[in-house]
C-alpha cells in the first residue's frame, strides 16, 4: 500500500523562476493539503484541495497556486520565486479532509 | 489566531531515561491534537492522535495526554532509546463547525537520546 509520494525530492531554482511540485495521495484518500516548512520551523498550511477545488487556504500570497486532478493527485505551483520560498514543501493526504492526514517525505526547494 | 508552543525547544537525555515533551495552544476550541515525529530532512510520521473528547492515548512506550480546558498536551516517552532521537511536533486542528481542515503546528522539540 503506497503512502503519499512527492516529486521531485530536491529542486534548485533561481529568484523569479516558477516551480511545480507534485503529490500522489495515499491509496483511498481523496483530499490533499500542502504545507511549507522553513528550516527550524513547524509546517505552515498553504491550502487544501478536495473534489478538484481549493477548499481552504492559509496565509500565503497568490503566487502560490494549486490544482487537483480527477485521480486526486495534486500540484503546487509557485511563481516569481523569492529567496524566502526556500523550504521543505510537504504534501498530506486524507479521506474527506477531517480524517487524520498522512504526510509524504516532502520536496526540498532551494532558491539561489 | 491559534498559536501552538512547544517546550523545550531541544532536549538531550541519556538512554533509558523517561521524558516529557510539552505542548500548549491558545484557543481551546480544538477538534483534535496530534503528535508527530520528524527525522532530519524527512516528512512527518504520526505518533498519536487525541480527539477533543479524550484525555489520553497510548502506543507502546508513548503516552499523550490532553487537557483541553487549560490548552495543554504532554507526550511521555518511557525508557528512551537512541532511535527515539528526532524532532517531535505537536499540531492542533481547530473546531470551526466543520469548515476548518488545516493543522496548526508548533516549532517542535529536538530530542537527542545519547547511548
Amino acid at each position: 500500500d503506497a503512502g503519499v509520494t512527492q516529486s521531485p525530492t530536491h529542486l534548485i531554482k533561481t529568484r523569479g523562476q516558477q516551480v511545480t511540485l507534485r503529490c500522489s495521495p495515499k491509496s483511498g484518500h481523496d483530499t490533499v493539503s500542502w504545507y511549507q516548512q522553513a528550516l527550524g520551523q513547524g509546517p505552515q498550511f498553504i491550502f487544501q484541495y478536495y473534489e478538484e477545488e481549493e477548499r481552504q487556504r492559509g496565509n500565503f500570497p497568490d503566487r502560490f497556486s494549486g490544482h487537483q486532478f480527477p485521480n486526486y493527485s495534486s500540484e503546487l505551483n509557485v511563481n516569481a520565486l523569492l529567496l524566502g520560498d526556500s523550504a521543505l514543501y510537504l504534501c498530506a493526504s486524507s479521506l474527506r479532509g477531517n480524517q487524520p492526514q498522512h504526510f509524504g517525505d516532502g520536496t526540498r526547494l532551494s532558491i539561489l | 489566531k491559534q498559536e501552538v508552543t512547544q517546550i523545550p525547544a531541544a532536549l538531550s537525555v541519556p538512554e533509558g531515561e523517561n521524558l516529557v515533551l510539552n505542548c500548549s495552544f491558545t484557543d481551546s476550541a480544538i477538534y483534535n491534537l496530534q503528535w508527530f515525529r520528524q527525522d532530519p530532512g524527512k516528512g512527518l510520521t504520526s505518533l498519536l492522535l487525541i480527539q477533543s473528547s479524550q484525555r489520553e492515548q497510548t502506543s507502546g512506550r508513548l503516552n499523550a495526554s490532553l487537557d483541553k480546558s487549560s490548552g495543554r498536551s504532554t507526550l511521555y516517552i518511557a525508557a528512551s532509546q537512541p532511535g527515539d532521537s528526532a524532532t517531535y511536533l505537536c499540531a492542533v486542528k481547530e473546531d470551526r463547525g466543520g469548515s476548518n481542515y488545516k493543522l496548526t503546528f508548533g516549532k517542535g522539540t529536538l530530542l537527542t537520546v545519547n547511548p
Side-chain angles (χ1 to χ4, degrees):
Chain A
D1 180 19
V4 179
T5 58
Q6 293 187 242
S7 63
T9 306
H10 296 90
L11 204 50
I12 299 175
K13 292 285 187 178
T14 57
R15 282 178 296 172
Q17 285 189 311
Q18 177 265 341
V19 69
T20 297
L21 311 181
R22 295 176 175 82
C23 172
S24 293
K26 180 179 167 67
S27 177
H29 286 182
D30 59 6
T31 304
V32 173
S33 302
W34 288 92
Y35 292 82
Q36 179 196 64
Q37 186 178 23
L39 203 60
Q41 304 294 313
Q44 298 287 320
F45 176 78
I46 303 175
F47 42 53
Q48 184 182 88
Y49 275 84
Y50 173 69
E51 292 188 338
E52 302 180 48
E53 291 198 359
E54 183 184 288
R55 177 158 70 173
Q56 186 179 7
R57 188 179 183 92
N59 190 25
F60 278 80
D62 291 345
R63 298 187 298 109
F64 290 77
S65 63
H67 189 77
Q68 186 179 33
F69 299 93
N71 67 353
Y72 308 120
S73 67
S74 176
E75 290 182 348
L76 164 65
N77 301 293
V78 187
N79 295 322
L81 286 166
L82 304 173
L83 292 177
D85 295 332
S86 294
L88 180 67
Y89 287 84
L90 295 164
C91 171
S93 72
S94 60
L95 183 60
R96 284 191 284 279
N98 263 334
Q99 299 301 311
Q101 296 181 18
H102 296 246
F103 284 79
D105 278 343
T107 293
R108 172 69 63 186
L109 175 63
S110 299
I111 310 301
L112 303 180
Chain B
K1 177 189 170 189
Q2 178 76 266
E3 291 184 3
V4 179
T5 302
Q6 292 188 243
I7 295 173
L11 182 63
S12 180
V13 300
E15 181 177 3
E17 193 161 297
N18 302 326
L19 58 100
V20 174
L21 307 181
N22 296 291
C23 171
S24 62
F25 46 95
T26 55
D27 189 336
S28 62
I30 65 169
Y31 184 79
N32 60 40
L33 181 144
Q34 206 163 353
W35 283 93
F36 292 89
R37 169 187 172 134
Q38 185 173 33
D39 293 295
K42 295 292 188 181
L44 308 182
T45 300
S46 180
L47 299 173
L48 291 165
L49 183 148
I50 312 177
Q51 300 292 350
S52 61
S53 59
Q54 297 176 319
R55 294 301 299 266
E56 66 179 313
Q57 281 285 348
T58 298
S59 176
R61 294 183 294 109
L62 305 180
N63 175 277
S65 68
L66 173 64
D67 184 342
K68 199 173 82 161
S69 60
S70 69
R72 295 173 190 265
S73 176
T74 61
L75 178 66
Y76 174 83
I77 302 177
S80 59
Q81 303 170 358
D84 295 331
S85 297
T87 296
Y88 290 80
L89 292 153
C90 167
V92 300
K93 177 180 281 189
E94 295 175 54
D95 187 351
R96 295 285 176 246
S99 64
N100 176 61
Y101 307 95
K102 73 174 185 180
L103 299 178
T104 302
F105 286 84
K107 292 183 179 181
T109 293
L110 176 60
L111 173 65
T112 303
V113 181
N114 302 299

